[in-house]
Amino acid sequence: MIKDWVLDQFYLNEQDWEKDLASLPEKIEVLASFKGKLGNFEDFENFFKFEEETSKLIYRLYGFIHLASDLNLKDTAKASKNQQMMLMFSKISQATSWSNPEIISLGKDKVMSFVDKSDFLKAYKFPFEKLFFQQKHVLSTDQEKILANFGPLAQTPTSIYQALSIVDAKDETVELSDGSSVVVTPSNYRSLIPNAKTAEDREKIFGAVFKRYRENKTAFAGVYNLVLQQKAAHYRSRNHESHLESALFANNIPTSVFHNLKDVAYENTALIKRYINIRKKYLNIDKYRTYDRFIKLVNDDTKYPYEEALQIFLNSIKDLHPEFVEKQKDAVKEGFVDVLPKDGKRTGAYSSGLYGFHPHILLNHDETLDSVFTLAHEAGHSAHTLFSQEAQPMAIADYTIFVAEIASTFNEHVLLDYLLANAKTKSQKIDLLETAIDGIMGTFFRQTLFATYEYTASEMVKEGRPINADVLSNIMIDLYKHYYDIDITEEPGKQYVWAYIPHLFHTPFYVYQYATSYSASLKIYDNIKNNKPNAFDNYLSMLKSGGSDYPVNQAKAAGADLTDKNTFLAVIKRFESLLDELEQTLAN
């Protein structure tokens, strides 16, 4: 029997949560009381000790309420408590906004002398190195305080977006050509479209899920403009040249990594059009729509109940490094995976990892092959967290998004090869090749398209140009025409796809990292498959390294140099070889 999350590692009940929340203001005052004292070694050390103690409490508080709230976003009581937690984050940020400027004012030599004197502070060596690297973008104490005062506004776009897209949105009921009706949700439409009997049914289902974005396009555009303007105000205040440079600077990621990815994808869309033509011919589709990508090339009715999907994933990794296997099994232990869709539950999937606590995986498992890959993907994230927390102290246990997706997509490569090797029929092989190709289409090309959209929109704000629903849609219309040679204005609501992607609102300049990480993980996996010396040990070292180095350096040490354009071109070569194999298999 599938069980839901068990959250008792955080709190047994909300009363205990409320009690700890009430203790936070006093701790915040203590943190603020260190202002002006960090020049003294004892106070310097004690400040960071107390900050860690407070952070552990915050992780406990946040972990409990954010996970509980995500299980039912319509639960207004839990949503209110989650907002309380967000306000506490802002208060802490305000109360400690002086700390970085004060540390910088001490000078790097003095701070590093403190590190040398304390076993506890040794873990902070790299974070302090990063801080001094970022020095030119750290403002004065008063300026930092002003920026911190705007902290509560940072969550406003996320709250409004969730209200529009989930909480206040109404799921549509669609009547199909055979007289039956179906409730269409953002969680289930991908599995409904392949089973639709006609092109008209597919369009109805797609139109139903995109109706909320079409009807609220002005509101969604206003929210996204708020995101863009907030980020512009932030990068300008910190004297960055652009939103992109600001987003990449903290982790010392060269902007060339982003532009190389963007350019490689943009310049190699002929392969996408080749794949679409293969699909059109084989499926006998005259006018290809973007949602036709959900139609399978073969009619494989195989369902993958969660228990079976879990066993398939575990079988795929069983012959890998024992330490790696152990952590993957730990990641998917019962009680730490919430599996099935529910009314009000947050859509999509994620792994939530907080230092000192076992990570939790949220799924909306729909028994498709895709959902098996999603399980492997999120298990990779959770295992990465377990490796990092076990190997690193709290100060440097947090890894960046940039390397996070290496761990998740590596698992997908392993799973795919296992399934291909065990394919028993032509249909199975076609299905798996299609899945592999769709993986590159979605993770490499589609995410890069969205990243290019983000870049274009942010550059428009930089130039002082207006942002509205038509402007945002036109960016997408042009990109879809170039990438897919498809006019998305002919599809109901598709031109508002920018409103459908939550990452664009929640975590700007996040999605490009799916593509960079996919490229890196493919290179690392190829190294391991080809028995390159120390390849798996190098990969495990990256998983254990947490946030102890800049992510581009971590990826390179693991075997993938993302400053080299050839790393991205290798994905193009793999994509082409998979298309060759698919065409050959279809022809036989």
Side-chain angles (χ1 to χ4, degrees):
M1 180 179 178
I2 298 171
K3 294 185 178 179
D4 298 336
W5 279 336
V6 177
L7 302 180
D8 58 8
Q9 67 168 327
F10 298 106
Y11 292 98
L12 296 178
N13 53 62
E14 290 189 19
Q15 290 73 29
D16 289 343
W17 183 87
E18 295 274 9
K19 183 178 177 181
D20 270 356
L21 183 69
S23 73
L24 261 187
E26 182 179 344
K27 294 182 182 298
I28 294 172
E29 287 183 18
V30 174
L31 285 171
S33 72
F34 282 93
K35 182 180 179 181
K37 301 177 182 178
L38 298 189
N40 175 273
F41 168 72
E42 288 76 15
D43 286 321
F44 189 94
E45 184 182 49
N46 287 333
F47 171 74
F48 284 98
K49 285 182 176 179
F50 192 79
E51 186 181 53
E52 280 204 8
E53 178 187 322
T54 304
S55 294
K56 288 175 183 176
L57 176 59
I58 290 168
Y59 291 157
R60 182 182 296 275
L61 286 162
Y62 175 67
F64 178 78
I65 201 60
H66 112 79
L67 292 171
S69 179
D70 279 356
L71 290 180
N72 186 4
L73 293 173
K74 295 181 180 181
D75 186 331
T76 56
K78 285 188 172 61
S80 177
K81 288 182 170 62
N82 200 33
Q83 287 181 348
Q84 283 181 272
M85 199 63 237
M86 294 301 102
L87 288 173
M88 281 297 180
F89 280 129
S90 297
K91 288 179 180 179
I92 292 167
S93 177
Q94 292 165 16
T96 59
S97 62
W98 53 269
S99 60
N100 282 349
E102 186 167 324
I103 292 167
I104 287 172
S105 71
L106 299 177
K108 186 174 180 179
D109 290 344
K110 185 170 185 177
V111 169
M112 291 307 176
S113 73
F114 287 170
V115 170
D116 291 338
K117 289 170 62 176
S118 168
D119 288 338
F120 172 79
L121 289 173
K122 281 182 172 54
Y124 286 85
K125 183 174 182 179
F126 179 65
F128 290 145
E129 293 278 3
K130 284 181 69 176
L131 178 61
F132 283 102
F133 168 73
Q134 298 165 14
Q135 182 173 349
K136 65 180 178 179
H137 297 296
V138 176
L139 308 177
S140 69
T141 300
D142 288 343
Q143 289 172 319
E144 288 288 345
K145 184 176 181 180
I146 291 170
L147 286 184
N149 286 338
F150 286 92
L153 297 178
Q155 292 299 317
T156 300
T158 293
S159 299
I160 299 174
Y161 179 81
Q162 288 187 334
L164 279 170
S165 62
I166 299 174
V167 179
D168 291 339
K170 179 184 176 184
D171 294 329
E172 298 291 323
T173 300
V174 171
E175 185 173 336
L176 303 176
S177 57
D178 63 359
S180 65
S181 61
V182 62
V183 176
V184 181
T185 73
S187 296
N188 72 4
Y189 86 99
R190 291 169 178 246
S191 59
L192 293 174
I193 285 177
N195 297 316
K197 293 181 172 60
T198 66
E200 290 75 18
D201 284 348
R202 294 198 295 273
E203 183 173 295
K204 281 184 180 181
I205 293 168
F206 184 80
V209 82
F210 269 74
K211 183 180 179 182
R212 66 188 64 182
Y213 308 107
R214 183 177 69 250
E215 291 184 343
N216 296 286
K217 60 183 183 295
T218 303
F220 279 112
V223 177
Y224 190 62
N225 187 37
L226 178 58
V227 172
L228 293 172
Q229 297 297 341
Q230 280 187 343
K231 295 302 179 183
H234 178 83
Y235 83 71
R236 287 166 183 157
S237 296
R238 293 199 177 277
N239 303 309
H240 288 285
E241 292 183 4
S242 67
H243 186 179
L244 175 66
E245 190 265 334
S246 173
L248 273 55
F249 177 79
N251 289 310
N252 199 21
I253 299 169
T255 55
S256 62
V257 171
F258 179 90
H259 287 296
N260 284 342
L261 166 70
K262 174 171 64 69
D263 294 346
V264 166
Y266 197 83
E267 293 163 5
N268 288 277
T269 59
L271 292 173
I272 297 176
K273 293 152 194 168
R274 176 187 168 193
Y275 179 47
I276 288 174
N277 285 330
I278 292 170
R279 291 178 58 77
K280 283 176 67 177
K281 179 180 178 182
Y282 192 80
L283 295 170
N284 195 27
I285 295 175
D286 179 47
K287 191 72 173 179
Y288 197 86
R289 306 297 190 187
T290 60
Y291 49 80
D292 289 333
R293 67 193 172 99
F294 300 122
I295 305 174
K296 304 296 290 183
L297 290 172
V298 291
N299 293 319
D300 185 358
D301 295 328
T302 305
K303 298 294 183 184
Y304 299 89
Y306 176 71
E307 293 88 345
E308 182 181 339
L310 177 59
Q311 193 57 54
I312 288 171
F313 166 60
L314 294 177
N315 286 344
S316 74
I317 62 170
K318 66 183 176 63
D319 295 327
L320 299 180
H321 195 290
E323 190 177 4
F324 177 84
V325 174
E326 178 191 351
K327 284 293 186 291
Q328 301 293 332
K329 288 181 177 178
D330 193 3
V332 294
K333 283 195 306 189
E334 191 173 279
F336 297 105
V337 185
D338 196 274
V339 177
L340 300 175
K342 305 179 187 72
D343 182 42
K345 180 179 174 181
R346 178 169 169 165
T347 58
Y350 66 69
S351 167
S352 176
L354 297 164
Y355 192 84
F357 301 95
H358 194 289
H360 286 72
I361 294 173
L362 180 140
L363 301 174
N364 281 278
H365 190 84
D366 62 2
E367 300 190 348
T368 62
L369 182 60
D370 280 346
S371 66
V372 185
F373 278 90
T374 298
L375 170 62
H377 181 104
E378 301 304 338
H381 283 312
S382 284
H384 190 183
T385 298
L386 291 167
F387 270 119
S388 177
Q389 289 195 11
E390 185 178 285
Q392 301 296 338
M394 184 174 177
I396 50 173
D398 242 0
Y399 48 81
T400 63
I401 293 170
F402 195 90
V403 295
E405 299 303 339
I406 296 176
S408 57
T409 54
F410 178 90
N411 279 14
E412 293 184 43
H413 302 317
V414 175
L415 177 61
L416 174 66
D417 272 4
Y418 170 80
L419 290 169
L420 280 172
N422 288 278
K424 295 180 173 61
T425 65
K426 176 181 175 180
S427 292
Q428 283 183 334
K429 186 172 183 181
I430 292 170
D431 192 25
L432 288 163
L433 285 169
E434 182 182 24
T435 297
I437 292 167
D438 286 346
I440 295 176
M441 286 280 286
T443 305
F444 186 81
F445 284 109
R446 191 165 183 260
Q447 299 300 341
T448 305
L449 182 154
F450 292 143
T452 304
Y453 158 84
E454 283 191 282
Y455 175 72
T456 304
S458 67
E459 286 293 292
M460 293 177 74
V461 170
K462 181 180 177 181
E463 295 164 4
R465 295 163 65 183
I467 297 294
N468 55 48
D470 288 341
V471 168
L472 298 174
S473 293
N474 284 334
I475 299 172
M476 283 297 188
I477 291 166
D478 290 345
L479 285 171
Y480 270 79
K481 185 65 177 175
H482 177 82
Y483 269 71
Y484 305 103
D485 197 22
I486 292 175
D487 182 356
I488 59 173
T489 63
E490 297 177 353
E491 301 177 21
K494 181 66 177 187
Q495 68 194 74
Y496 308 109
V497 64
W498 50 266
Y500 168 75
I501 308 299
H503 285 321
L504 301 179
F505 293 80
H506 301 333
T507 49
F509 282 112
Y510 174 102
V511 295
Y512 87 94
Q513 294 172 104
Y514 284 116
T516 53
S517 295
Y518 183 92
S519 304
S521 64
L522 182 59
K523 180 65 167 66
I524 292 166
Y525 182 55
D526 283 345
N527 291 343
I528 290 170
K529 282 202 304 181
N530 294 323
N531 297 313
K532 188 172 181 178
N534 303 315
F536 216 123
D537 287 339
N538 291 338
Y539 179 51
L540 288 178
S541 293
M542 189 208 81
L543 296 177
K544 295 174 182 178
S545 64
S548 62
D549 198 355
Y550 291 116
V552 170
N553 296 342
Q554 291 173 299
K556 187 174 183 179
D561 185 357
L562 288 164
T563 63
D564 185 350
K565 202 170 184 178
N566 287 316
T567 300
F568 301 119
L569 288 169
V571 179
I572 302 301
K573 291 178 182 177
R574 180 174 175 86
F575 188 51
E576 186 170 21
S577 69
L578 287 169
L579 288 177
D580 291 342
E581 190 172 358
L582 177 64
E583 279 194 309
Q584 184 179 5
T585 305
L586 290 172
N588 289 340

